[in-house]
């Protein structure tokens, strides 16, 4: 009969390694959770900023339209120059372009937020 009395502490080290592996897995899980939360909060902030930018662009369109209409009236009445009318028209087109750009950015931010939420 052959009974090993001394196993060379092999079981002890295997048990210690298994405990370390479990601890590492828990830390990896916590790290991944933190990373996902940070990504979600970042995308949420990006979405809120894009939404505010879109609202600002809408307000800018209203203002530019109002200025353009007033410049048209001045020009028709002979009180304004064609240069002022052209500048207000250019500003209106610029505002419209910014509105379209901010709308695209808002859509992209919403998609990124939905991805971060896991809804896409």
């Amino acid at each position: 009969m052959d009974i090993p009395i001394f196993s060379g502490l092999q079981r002890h080290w295997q048990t210690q390694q298994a405990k370390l592996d479990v601890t590492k897995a828990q830390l990896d899980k916590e790290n991944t959770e933190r990373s996902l939360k940070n990504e979600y909060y970042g995308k949420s902030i990006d979405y809120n900023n894009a939404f505010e930018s879109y609202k600002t662009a809408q307000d800018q369109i209203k203002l530019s339209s109002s200025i353009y209409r007033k410049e048209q009236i001045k020009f028709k009445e002979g009180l304004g120059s064609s240069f002022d009318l052209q500048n207000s028209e250019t500003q209106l087109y610029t505002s419209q372009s910014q509105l379209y750009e901010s709308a695209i950015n808002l859509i992209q931010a919403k998609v990124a937020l939905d991805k971060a939420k896991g809804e896409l």
Side-chain angles (χ1 to χ4, degrees), residues 71 74-75 78-87:
E71 287 298 326
K74 282 179 165 180
F75 182 73
L79 300 173
S81 68
S82 63
F83 181 73
D84 292 337
L85 180 63
Q86 184 180 8
N87 280 342

Side-chain angles (χ1 to χ4, degrees), residues 13-29:
W13 294 121
Q14 286 175 342
T15 304
Q16 292 299 321
Q17 184 63 43
K19 287 179 183 178
L20 287 175
D21 290 343
V22 168
T23 303
K24 182 183 179 300
Q26 288 172 339
L27 291 174
D28 287 346
K29 178 186 170 213

Side-chain angles (χ1 to χ4, degrees), residues 6 10 12 15 23 31 50 53 57 60 65 67-68 70 78-79 83 86 88 91 94-96 101 107 110-111 117:
F6 184 72
Q10 185 177 7
H12 172 73
T15 304
T23 303
N31 189 28
S53 176
Q60 190 174 3
S65 295
I67 292 171
Y68 179 67
K70 288 178 184 176
L79 300 173
F83 181 73
Q86 184 180 8
S88 64
Q91 181 60 40
T94 302
S95 297
Q96 288 171 342
E101 185 178 329
I107 291 168
K110 177 64 173 152
V111 169
K117 282 183 184 177

Side-chain angles (χ1 to χ4, degrees), residues 49-70:
N49 289 340
F51 184 72
E52 290 300 320
S53 176
Y54 180 74
K55 288 189 339 187
T56 301
Q58 285 179 324
D59 293 341
Q60 190 174 3
I61 284 279
K62 290 176 187 174
L63 180 61
S64 297
S65 295
S66 173
I67 292 171
Y68 179 67
R69 281 193 298 276
K70 288 178 184 176

Side-chain angles (χ1 to χ4, degrees), residues 7 12 27 30 34 36 47 50 81 89-90 98 104 118 120:
S7 64
H12 172 73
L27 291 174
E30 291 171 7
R34 270 192 229 106
L36 289 173
Y47 175 75
S81 68
E89 184 178 28
T90 302
Q98 289 172 350
I104 290 169
L120 268 183

